[in-house]
């Protein structure tokens, strides 16, 4: 046995496709794996990614791009990130984005790495996107965070400072900042902004209120402040968001199906 030459490449090459990455990623909650070529066309993905982007199956996803499933303002950003990784040959690590869906907002943390040939040429990207959701499991190690988050949800219409959050637990400002980064990957101020934007998105979709009324009810200083946060975080104006998600049907092959929870990467 000691003289036997070991060839791991041969073992891997003998495996039927779909047994490693795709199958394993399907067992990780709220984690989505995908591969794209140089033209940002999907080559493969795990099943959950295909379902949540709106393709239904991995087979329906292959050969298509984010533009087939996501509104242009999102697909533009996803494709731009692909291009940056391919052109630079450098990975994009844990980019945190606030992405609108049909009925909510999700914080996505995305990592993309370049894929190279044996000659070293970059021919595509592989990526992993994770969604941060609020669940009891999320607060298991830090139950005080649940109290802080509940406070934000009940008072997001009011002015909230980090010092307000520290008073709830007696923790220091730095401790609260650190807990938020560990739990959600973002600062407390960013989380408050998420809650306000989520409320504004709901109002834009489901009411005919004016932009100034929505801004006031959702905790923004004024309509200008709300518009600025929409541009910075969602890459779209409130007016375009209302038009896109209220009056226009979803794009791509998913347009006759229920709106997906996840909109691209």
């Amino acid at each position: 046995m000691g003289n036997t030459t070991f060839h791991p490449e041969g073992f891997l090459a003998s495996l039927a496709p779909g047994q490693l990455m795709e199958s394993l990623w399907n067992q990780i909650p709220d984690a989505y794996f995908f591969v794209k070529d140089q033209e940002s066309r999907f080559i493969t993905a795990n099943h959950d990614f295909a379902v949540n982007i709106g393709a239904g199956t991995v087979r329906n996803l292959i050969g298509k791009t984010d533009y087939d499933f996501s509104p242009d303002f999102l697909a533009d950003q996803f494709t731009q990130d692909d291009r940056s990784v391919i052109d630079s040959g450098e990975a994009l690590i844990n980019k945190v984005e606030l992405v609108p869906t049909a009925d909510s907002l999700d914080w996505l943390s995305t990592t993309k790495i370049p894929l190279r040939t044996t000659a070293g040429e970059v021919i595509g990207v592989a990526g992993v996107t994770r969604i941060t959701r609020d669940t009891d499991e999320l607060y298991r190690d830090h139950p005080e965070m649940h109290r802080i988050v509940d406070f934000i949800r009940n008072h997001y219409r009011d002015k909230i400072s980090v010092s307000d959050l520290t008073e709830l637990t007696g923790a220091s400002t730095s401790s609260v900042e650190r807990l938020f980064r560990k739990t959600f990957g973002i600062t407390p101020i960013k989380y408050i902004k998420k809650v306000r934007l989520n409320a504004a998105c709901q109002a834009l979709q489901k009411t005919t209120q004016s932009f100034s009324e929505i801004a006031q009810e959702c905790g923004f200083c004024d309509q200008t402040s709300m518009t600025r946060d929409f541009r910075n975080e969602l890459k779209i104006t409130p007016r375009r968001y209302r038009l896109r998600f209220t009056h226009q049907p979803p794009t791509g092959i998913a347009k006759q199906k229920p709106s997906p929870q996840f909109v691209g990467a």
Side-chain angles (χ1 to χ4, degrees), residues 1 20 23 38 57 69-70 97 106 115 124 126 132 149 178 192 195 199 218 233 246 255:
M1 293 291 293
L20 290 179
S23 295
Q38 281 186 321
T57 67
F69 307 102
S70 303
E97 301 171 285
D106 284 324
L115 295 177
T132 298
V149 168
R178 185 169 59 252
I192 295 169
V195 174
C218 294
E233 300 295 336
T246 303
K255 62 184 178 181

Side-chain angles (χ1 to χ4, degrees), residues 124-149:
V125 298
V128 176
T129 293
R130 293 178 293 108
I131 298 179
T132 298
R133 302 188 192 277
D134 294 346
T135 63
D136 289 336
E137 181 68 18
L138 191 63
Y139 306 109
R140 182 179 58 184
D141 296 331
H142 301 286
E144 66 273 26
M145 279 293 294
H146 215 158
R147 294 198 300 275
I148 293 175
V149 168

Side-chain angles (χ1 to χ4, degrees), residues 126-192:
V128 176
T129 293
R130 293 178 293 108
I131 298 179
T132 298
R133 302 188 192 277
D134 294 346
T135 63
D136 289 336
E137 181 68 18
L138 191 63
Y139 306 109
R140 182 179 58 184
D141 296 331
H142 301 286
E144 66 273 26
M145 279 293 294
H146 215 158
R147 294 198 300 275
I148 293 175
V149 168
D150 284 343
F151 175 83
I152 292 173
R153 287 173 174 165
N154 291 327
H155 296 87
Y156 68 86
R157 297 177 179 88
D158 308 320
K159 290 184 178 179
I160 303 176
S161 66
V162 177
S163 61
D164 293 327
L165 306 182
T166 63
E167 291 179 8
L168 293 174
T169 61
S172 66
T173 299
S174 60
S175 295
V176 171
E177 294 268 0
R178 185 169 59 252
L179 280 175
F180 261 86
R181 289 188 179 278
K182 181 177 180 180
T183 305
F184 298 110
I186 54 176
T187 66
I189 298 304
K190 276 270 194 180
Y191 186 89
I192 295 169

Side-chain angles (χ1 to χ4, degrees), residues 22 32 39 41 46 52 71 99 101 113 119 134 158 171 227 248:
E22 295 91 338
Y32 304 90
E39 305 301 321
R41 293 173 297 205
N46 67 331
N52 280 276
V99 174
T101 64
I113 63 170
D134 294 346
D158 308 320
T227 298
Q248 297 183 17

